[in-house]
Amino acid sequence: MKVLIVGIGALGGTIAARAIRAGLPVRLAARNTDSAVALRRSGLRVSGIGGEVRADAIEVAAIEDYGTAEKFDLILLATKAHDALEVAPSVVRLLAPEGVVLPIQNGGVARVLADRLGEDKILGGFSNLGATMVEPGVYEQKNAGHLLIGELAGGVSERVERVARALGRAIEVKVSSNLTGAIWSKLLINCSVTTLGALCSQTMRQYMETEAGKKVFRRTYEEALSVALAIGTRLERLAVDPIPPGWPSNLAAEEHYKSWVEAIIAFYGDVKPSMLQDFERGRKTEVDFINGYVVTLGHASGAPVHMNAAITNVVHQIERGVLQSARERMNELADQICERTRGNSI
């Protein structure tokens, strides 16, 4: 299987280095020619969980330098979400007759690409693999995570198993027969853990010690869950059951709800949100494919998404420099819950 990895950041670089060392025929697509030249000179190096590997002889070029004479069986999109939407139409021309594109971003990226380019060309997937880029070409793997892949339409196909076998030589790959449900279960966490931690510059464990954090987490999660169920999603269990105890009222199961929240904190509570790292580096975030995606589908399905809309707006203001990521953001969002509650009671 000839593989092209597009995006050589933390995740793409880590997968690329391990795939090359495993003997997979892998080529890399960098953002531009200068990046490609620098990576060709430095090679790739990964340390941390999974052991250290080096890949000194790498084949890398700028994405625009790949011609249609070069065909790939698998194109792994490891870019940021907005870059994936931009680059996907141009890389589809590089697919072999039965080749597939595998986007591994959070949120609605795979679904959007499948709607635009066809499900025959797009698989679904996301990563639980934690990695950081120390500098271009140098990466540290933070956990023993995996890729989860599957057909967006459901079921397990031969092409999914073929991709899993190939990439499984380099990293752990799991196959889901309900990939869309798994994507949504991860999206619920992204909306209520990753984004909230980013806008208040705290980990989940920290903000869940406050009443404001508890209120905003609950409202954000439950809105996203309502949207998922409104569009007919059959959710998959990941770290926890995606449906809180006692849903939709929770009133008869408050102690069970607290235990459910504690299980989420145990799994995600001390992770520095990737979106917070985007803020710190002055990069555009993926909020439009996370909370913003929930808002879009909520409006279409009639499910209320007031909190997710407010969160998306705050993130955009932080991106523009109008606001700063700080714990006051959580208090402001909690105040909006109180205002809406008072308004509904009048």
Side-chain angles (χ1 to χ4, degrees), residues 31-346:
R31 183 183 299 272
N32 53 50
T33 301
D34 289 343
S35 296
V37 169
L39 286 169
R40 200 175 301 124
R41 187 183 303 118
S42 68
L44 306 176
R45 186 167 80 250
V46 177
S47 61
I49 304 298
E52 184 168 344
V53 299
R54 295 182 65 98
D56 295 318
I58 63 175
E59 295 186 63
V60 55
I63 184 63
E64 64 266 19
D65 291 338
Y66 281 93
T68 54
E70 300 167 281
K71 298 297 184 182
F72 297 92
D73 302 298
L74 172 65
I75 299 178
L76 181 71
L77 291 185
T79 63
K80 301 292 284 186
H82 42 274
D83 293 327
L85 294 192
E86 182 179 330
V87 76
S90 63
V91 300
V92 164
R93 64 190 172 86
L94 303 176
L95 285 176
E98 295 186 10
V100 292
V101 175
L102 174 60
I104 55 174
Q105 295 77 16
N106 290 317
V109 173
R111 182 70 266 164
V112 172
L113 289 179
D115 289 343
R116 291 182 183 178
L117 304 174
E119 285 192 7
D120 61 316
K121 297 182 177 66
I122 307 294
L123 292 182
F126 63 82
S127 172
N128 281 325
L129 188 71
T132 59
M133 184 170 71
V134 180
E135 60 184 78
V138 181
Y139 315 95
E140 182 180 2
Q141 186 170 328
K142 294 289 192 178
N143 67 6
H146 61 272
L147 293 185
L148 186 68
I149 69 172
E151 295 283 355
L152 292 172
V156 178
S157 66
E158 193 277 332
R159 65 177 186 169
V160 168
E161 293 181 328
R162 188 171 69 245
V163 169
R165 283 195 302 271
L167 289 180
R169 293 166 54 188
I171 58 171
E172 184 178 5
V173 181
K174 297 182 179 181
V175 172
S176 173
S177 61
N178 180 24
L179 196 277
T180 295
I183 288 175
W184 266 96
S185 294
K186 178 81 181 296
L187 183 59
L188 301 179
I189 296 296
N190 291 136
C191 286
S192 56
V193 175
T194 305
T195 307
L196 293 187
L199 61 83
C200 71
S201 194
Q202 293 181 313
T203 64
M204 183 191 185
R205 187 180 301 278
Q206 290 171 323
Y207 70 71
M208 289 297 282
E209 291 175 351
T210 69
E211 287 305 312
K214 292 173 184 176
K215 288 180 182 178
V216 175
F217 168 84
R218 189 166 187 162
R219 181 63 62 89
T220 305
Y221 190 99
E222 291 184 353
E223 282 186 0
L225 176 59
S226 294
V227 172
L229 297 178
I231 64 174
T233 306
R234 180 170 57 86
L235 294 163
E236 284 285 292
R237 181 185 176 94
L238 296 178
V240 298
D241 190 319
I243 299 180
W247 170 267
S249 69
N250 286 327
L251 296 177
E254 198 61 32
E255 286 304 315
H256 294 295
Y257 175 81
K258 290 178 181 177
S259 297
W260 176 82
V261 169
E262 288 168 3
I264 297 177
I265 293 173
F267 200 86
Y268 298 104
D270 300 310
V271 178
K272 183 176 182 179
S274 56
M275 192 180 291
L276 179 56
Q277 297 176 54
D278 290 335
F279 286 154
E280 292 171 348
R281 295 169 182 170
R283 295 177 178 172
K284 185 176 181 180
T285 73
E286 296 180 320
V287 70
D288 290 333
F289 304 93
I290 302 174
N291 303 79
Y293 184 65
V294 167
V295 171
T296 298
L297 293 180
H299 289 161
S301 64
V305 286
H306 309 293
M307 181 52 63
N308 280 277
I311 289 167
T312 304
N313 181 52
V314 170
V315 171
H316 285 316
Q317 291 189 68
I318 296 173
E319 287 177 327
R320 296 196 303 269
V322 177
L323 294 176
Q324 296 296 315
S325 175
R327 64 183 62 186
E328 298 88 76
R329 304 288 84 82
M330 191 70 81
N331 295 330
E332 294 159 1
L333 290 167
D335 288 343
Q336 291 189 35
I337 296 175
C338 294
E339 290 171 5
R340 292 194 66 83
T341 301
R342 285 197 299 269
N344 291 337
S345 64
I346 294 175

